[in-house]
């Protein structure tokens, strides 16, 4: 029996919450026409989108390579079918055959029902880009999803989670709403924890002028993943770095990439560059966040309102470089439990972090076991692009989306004795995998890669 049980949708932001992120919701009766106007704007601006609309041959290669479809067996979650939800509208209004022959060529009139389908299925796609990785034509269905989410956002249809993060980022620079006194207090507590557990004195400088390095952590590291932030602090202290954390940007993620690449994503970029300029730093180092690193590496130069004069690197790049130069003394026996590595999709299919993560994990563990497949062929955790919805229906959908990843982890055998480690070097992956390992009874503990580095350091 198929597992598909019908269309589900995340809880959406209220009109008041949308106004906080500068969107006035479009009345229902106007939504179809406005959606067409936005779609027309997009097709005139992005040739890659037109290619995705007009080049797909429905070969089906993407179906068995999509964790969302494999988990749900909902035919609308086959990537080409998901894209078809927009493609049939594109055909109807922007191609001759669609205007002349309509449903005979797979075209369909725009309606509120169609828009509701968009909202359901574009927020079940985790935008992992595995479909693009295997597509013989190189069609990036993830880009179609991005565009669909953007149009929905302009219409005033955005998940409550994403809208709340967008508003919090604009207000205080992190998605938890943590103000500067809370940031400082949390970091002081982490310093005490490091001393108690590792016997090492580590300070976390906040807003320190003229620092060489400005480190951008995930805001989840202040609450859910403390050992990742503690590991970063230990690493920078170990190498004697002159570094700081900016209180105005304590979030490595840029949710604008996931729902609003115009106002929200651009605003976060400006916030980052303002912090770097005000503090007089020399380099920006990114923390563990997959989509955030993709947004930083690929989009900051094109969204910035000024020349980007700071080199921007990832903390994994920094650590791997020093390992190759033999400038870090590490004791892998401190991480002796069996460990496997989950490859965050945005790292390995967009940002080239594949080998650096492996350089690190092999140096800091004694029993590393690869998943099959891995690297650029990896399957998503099921929570990418922040589809981390907790309402009951969407939570169960998240667990279905993690089915393929659970199979991969189980096949490595790292959880056989109940003491294995699933290394997930991305904040959103961690948030997805914490409940996933419990629901699928995998017998592993989720850790970040920088967590393992901090533990393996041998202090002079």
């Amino acid at each position: 029996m198929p597992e598909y049980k019908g269309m589900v949708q995340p809880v959406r932001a209220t009109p008041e919450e949308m106004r906080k992120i500068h969107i006035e919701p479009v009345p229902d009766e106007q939504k179809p026409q406005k959606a067409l106007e936005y779609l027309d704007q997009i097709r005139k601006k992005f040739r890659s989108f037109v290619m995705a609309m007009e080049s797909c041959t429905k070969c089906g290669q993407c179906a068995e390579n999509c964790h969302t479809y494999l988990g749900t067996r909902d035919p609308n979650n086959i990537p080409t079918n998901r894209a078809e939800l927009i493609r049939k509208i594109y055909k109807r209004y922007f191609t001759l055959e669609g205007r002349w022959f309509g449903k005979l060529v797979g075209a369909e009139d725009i309606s509120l029902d169609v828009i509701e389908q968009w909202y359901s299925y574009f927020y079940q796609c985790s935008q992992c880009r595995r479909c693009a990785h295997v597509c013989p034509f190189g069609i990036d269905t993830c880009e179609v999803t991005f565009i669909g989410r953007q149009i929905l956002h302009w219409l005033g249809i955005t998940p409550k989670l994403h809208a709340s993060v967008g508003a919090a980022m604009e207000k205080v620079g992190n998605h938890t709403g943590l103000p500067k006194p809370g940031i400082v207090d949390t970091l002081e507590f982490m310093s005490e924890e490091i001393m108690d557990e590792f016997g090492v004195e580590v300070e976390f400088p906040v807003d320190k002028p003229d620092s060489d390095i400005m480190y951008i952590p995930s805001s989840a590291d202040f609450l859910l993943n403390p050992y990742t932030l503690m590991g970063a602090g230990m690493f920078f202290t170990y190498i004697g770095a002159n570094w700081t954390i900016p209180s105005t940007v304590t979030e490595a993620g840029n949710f604008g990439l996931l729902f609003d690449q115009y106002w929200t994503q651009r605003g976060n970029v400006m916030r980052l560059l303002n912090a770097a300029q005000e503090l007089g730093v020399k380099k920006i180092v990114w923390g563990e966040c997959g989509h955030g690193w993709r947004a930083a590496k690929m989009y900051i130069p094109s969204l910035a309102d000024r020349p980007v004069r700071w080199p921007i690197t990832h903390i994994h790049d920094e650590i791997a470089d020093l390992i190759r130069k033999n400038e870090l003394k590490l004791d892998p026996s401190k991480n002796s439990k069996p460990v496997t590595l989950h490859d965050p999709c945005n790292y390995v299919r967009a940002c080239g972090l594949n080998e650096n993560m492996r350089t690190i994990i092999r140096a800091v563990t004694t029993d590393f076991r690869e998943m099959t497949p891995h690297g650029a062929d990896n399957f998503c955790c099921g929570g990418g692009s922040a589809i981390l919805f907790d309402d009951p229906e969407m939570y169960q959908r998240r667990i279905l989306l993690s089915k393929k990843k659970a199979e991969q982890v189980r096949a490595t055998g790292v959880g056989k004795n109940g003491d294995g480690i699933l290394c997930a070097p991305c904040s959103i992956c961690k948030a997805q995998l914490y409940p996933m390992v419990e629901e699928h009874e995998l017998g592993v503990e989720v850790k970040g890669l920088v967590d393992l580095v901090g533990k393996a350091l041998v202090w002079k």
Side-chain angles (χ1 to χ4, degrees):
M1 290 291 291
E3 296 179 75
Y4 172 53
K5 296 182 180 179
M7 192 168 66
V8 297
Q9 295 180 333
V11 174
R12 64 189 70 189
T14 65
E16 292 75 18
E17 289 167 331
M18 293 302 296
R19 292 182 187 107
K20 290 181 180 178
I21 49 175
H22 314 285
I23 290 292
E24 183 61 42
V26 176
D28 284 353
E29 64 273 14
Q30 297 177 24
K31 280 186 170 75
Q33 182 58 39
K34 292 299 291 185
L36 282 181
E37 292 174 13
Y38 294 138
L39 188 58
D40 193 24
Q41 293 174 23
I42 292 290
R43 77 179 183 93
K44 290 175 178 175
K45 187 173 183 180
F46 298 107
R47 293 180 66 186
S48 56
F49 174 69
V50 174
M51 188 195 82
M53 292 293 97
E54 299 186 356
S55 302
C56 179
T57 63
K58 309 293 196 305
C59 71
Q61 182 72 16
C62 57
E64 295 299 315
N65 282 283
C66 174
H67 68 283
T68 303
Y69 172 63
L70 295 176
T72 64
R73 292 297 175 180
D74 179 343
N76 279 333
N77 273 324
I78 296 174
T80 185
N81 290 351
R82 189 184 300 118
E84 192 70 17
L85 298 175
I86 279 188
R87 189 180 288 114
K88 61 188 179 183
I89 307 304
Y90 176 91
K91 284 182 181 178
R92 169 65 182 82
Y93 296 95
F94 304 115
T95 68
L96 285 175
E97 61 268 30
R99 287 197 293 268
W100 288 347
F101 301 111
K103 289 185 178 180
L104 291 175
V105 294
E108 184 174 325
D109 291 339
I110 187 73
S111 67
L112 285 175
D113 287 342
V114 168
I115 292 170
E116 290 299 319
Q117 282 186 307
W118 290 359
Y119 185 57
S120 175
Y121 290 103
F122 296 156
Y123 281 99
Q124 291 185 61
C125 170
S126 65
Q127 301 177 337
C128 75
R129 301 180 71 244
R130 200 169 195 271
C131 53
H133 184 62
V134 301
C135 177
F137 294 98
I139 296 171
D140 192 348
T141 306
C142 170
E143 183 172 350
V144 178
T145 304
F146 274 140
I147 286 168
R149 289 187 183 187
Q150 181 68 66
I151 293 173
L152 288 167
H153 179 68
W154 282 332
L155 295 175
I157 305 173
T158 301
K160 187 180 185 74
L161 170 64
H162 292 62
S164 298
V165 170
M169 280 294 296
E170 184 171 343
K171 184 178 181 181
V172 295
N174 62 74
H175 83 260
T176 62
L178 196 65
K180 182 173 180 177
I183 292 168
V184 172
D185 286 347
T186 303
L187 293 174
E188 289 176 352
F189 175 76
M190 287 187 182
S191 294
E192 295 170 1
E193 288 292 299
I194 292 171
M195 177 57 73
D196 291 343
E197 186 167 347
F198 300 101
V200 178
E201 185 175 347
V202 172
E203 292 185 4
F204 291 86
V206 177
D207 293 335
K208 180 184 175 185
D210 302 318
S211 295
D212 294 331
I213 292 171
M214 184 172 79
Y215 180 63
I216 310 297
S218 166
S219 57
D221 294 352
F222 287 82
L223 302 173
L224 298 176
N225 318 311
Y227 281 93
T228 301
L229 189 45
M230 289 161 63
M234 293 167 72
F235 167 69
F236 288 128
T237 300
Y238 185 92
I239 65 173
N242 174 23
W243 71 295
T244 192
I245 294 175
S247 65
T248 55
V249 190
T250 49
E251 176 53 74
N254 190 334
F255 271 49
L257 177 69
L258 311 179
F259 74 94
D260 176 28
Q261 298 179 48
Y262 289 79
W263 181 280
T264 306
Q265 186 176 357
R266 189 182 300 272
N268 291 338
V269 168
M270 296 305 102
R271 192 180 192 95
L272 172 79
L273 300 182
N274 288 341
Q277 190 164 319
E278 289 168 8
L279 293 174
V281 301
K282 297 177 181 176
K283 179 194 285 189
I284 300 170
V285 177
W286 225 256
E288 290 194 341
C289 178
H291 88 266
W293 179 227
R294 182 184 177 197
K297 184 174 183 178
M298 299 179 68
Y299 292 94
I300 284 178
S302 60
L303 292 175
D305 64 348
R306 73 202 75 169
V308 180
R309 56 184 179 83
W310 304 272
I312 304 175
T313 69
H314 195 281
I315 191 169
H316 296 164
D317 294 325
E318 299 289 320
I319 295 170
D321 181 60
L322 293 179
I323 288 174
R324 294 189 184 103
K325 293 177 179 177
N326 293 317
E327 292 182 14
L328 292 182
K329 188 173 183 181
L330 300 162
D331 181 0
S333 69
K334 293 182 179 181
N335 293 307
S336 60
K337 295 178 180 179
V339 58
T340 191
L341 175 66
H342 162 66
D343 288 287
C345 302
N346 282 301
Y347 285 170
V348 294
R349 280 193 285 273
C351 296
L353 274 179
N354 193 337
E355 290 307 314
N356 279 353
M357 288 192 294
R358 282 161 175 78
T359 294
I360 296 169
I361 202 165
R362 291 188 178 111
V364 300
T365 65
T366 59
D367 187 2
F368 169 52
R369 307 178 191 182
E370 286 277 22
M371 290 187 199
T372 303
H374 58 264
D377 296 326
N378 149 70
F379 277 96
C380 181
C381 65
S385 78
I387 51 176
L388 302 170
F389 309 113
D390 286 332
D391 48 292
E393 275 195 318
M394 289 304 296
Y395 175 80
Q396 289 305 319
R397 186 55 53 105
R398 279 173 59 192
I399 301 306
L400 287 178
L401 268 52
S402 70
K403 181 179 177 182
K404 188 64 181 180
K405 178 54 60 180
E407 292 173 1
Q408 285 187 276
V409 175
R410 190 174 284 112
T412 66
V414 296
K416 184 177 181 181
N417 297 319
D419 66 345
I421 293 174
L422 171 55
C423 179
C426 162
S427 182
I428 282 179
C429 294
K430 292 183 183 94
Q432 166 70 352
L433 295 174
Y434 288 143
M436 185 273 279
V437 299
E438 298 297 328
E439 296 282 359
H440 293 286
E441 299 179 346
L442 296 178
V444 297
E445 183 180 9
V446 178
K447 292 281 189 181
L449 185 53
V450 179
D451 307 33
L452 303 179
V453 171
K455 189 173 181 180
L457 287 170
V458 177
W459 295 85
K460 302 166 184 175

